[in-house]
Amino acid sequence: MTDIFEKFNSLNIMIIGDVMMDSYIWGKVERVSPEAPVPVVKVSNKENRLGGAANVALNVQSLGGKPFICAIIGDDKDGEEFLSLLRNQNLSEQGILKIKNRPTTVKTRIIAHNQQIVRVDVETDENISEAETEVMIGMIKKILAEQKIDAIIFEDYDKGLITEKLISETAELAEHRGIITVVDPKKRNFHSYKGVHLFKPNLKELEDGLKMVIDSSKPNQVENAISKLKSQLGARAVMLTLSEKGVFINSDLGQRHVAAHKRDIADVSGAGDTVIATAALCLAAGLDEFKASEIANLAGGLVCEHVGVVPIDKARLLEESRKL
């Protein structure tokens, strides 16, 4: 396992997806507002972090890989703060496209006594224009021409960057170059990811995508739904994440349920980002879908022990992976 984790250090991963800034306001609640029946949070600290597809990049970086983010931000103050956070993490700005009159996505979480009180979102989910899509595809092509990319992650939050044209053209480029493609999907483009290597929905996304109710306690229902999706997409593997029930993987090698490890769960925010980043690196390093899903499942559980969105600790993941 040590050899695999060392191999991560030589891998370049492209992340195409919706980036955002996670803003945290920490404080204490000592009274209720006289203006309305809501808690008054006395602020003790504020912090901005990279979120969404940028958090996937942080997880790739934490595991030793080199991430290349292809994403959009607004030409605004929050966009500048986002770029500042990128620079502080030594992440490339090469694939970041600024768009005028479009807000940078910011999710502000107000936390008191280690509990999230409320979240405030500033965003738009309007698709980017055809012209902007062409610019982004050009940026993707440039990076592919200049760098050895080992895997491409589509990190789709339905915020408007990822369109059918962007998916089809990028997937074709990846297929031509023999690059692994992995997908963390959302509802809008759910059926557009044809022929990808690994497709990773959660249960709600699977139900929405197939327009059916699935009882996760009934293995036959889960197996049938995933088989149907795998066939529709022509994907090599589908990995369904089931929160505390672990993951279910259906690949050309067969199918398997991977149980979750018992954890003291503090916050599930960002766990999906960790899972997809870990799975992509494992596949690019040469592991099969089963082993990759085992390690990715483990990684997702580990980050849930922390409050807020945090990237995976490589040393701890390696230590726990040796026990699998």
Side-chain angles (χ1 to χ4, degrees), residues 29-41:
V29 174
E30 297 173 341
R31 62 192 178 98
V32 174
S33 172
E35 303 165 355
V38 295
V40 175
V41 179

Side-chain angles (χ1 to χ4, degrees), residues 254-295:
Q255 56 188 16
R256 186 179 299 173
H257 175 251
V258 180
H261 298 257
K262 287 188 178 180
R263 301 283 175 201
D264 293 324
I265 303 300
D267 192 342
V268 298
S269 304
D273 301 339
T274 301
V275 170
I276 199 73
T278 307
L281 279 164
C282 286
L283 291 171
L287 293 179
D288 64 33
E289 293 92 351
F290 292 143
K291 198 66 181 176
S293 63
E294 282 186 10
I295 297 172

Side-chain angles (χ1 to χ4, degrees), residues 14-16 68-73 83 86 92-99 128 131-147 149 152 161 166 169-170 173 177:
M14 177 180 283
I15 300 108
I16 302 170
F68 292 86
I69 307 172
C70 294
I72 55 171
I73 59 173
L83 290 177
L86 272 189
S92 172
E93 301 172 44
Q94 185 180 355
I96 304 296
L97 174 63
K98 277 187 184 180
I99 297 180
I128 60 175
E132 289 159 349
T133 298
E134 289 295 342
V135 173
M136 181 54 66
I137 290 170
M139 295 170 86
I140 290 168
K141 286 179 177 177
K142 189 172 189 295
I143 292 172
L144 289 174
E146 294 174 355
Q147 305 288 340
I149 299 296
I152 295 174
L161 165 70
L166 189 73
E169 293 213 15
T170 305
L173 289 166
R177 288 169 167 77

Side-chain angles (χ1 to χ4, degrees), residues 82-95:
F82 178 87
L83 290 177
S84 177
L85 292 172
L86 272 189
R87 294 176 196 125
N88 290 342
Q89 290 291 334
N90 293 317
L91 291 170
S92 172
E93 301 172 44
Q94 185 180 355

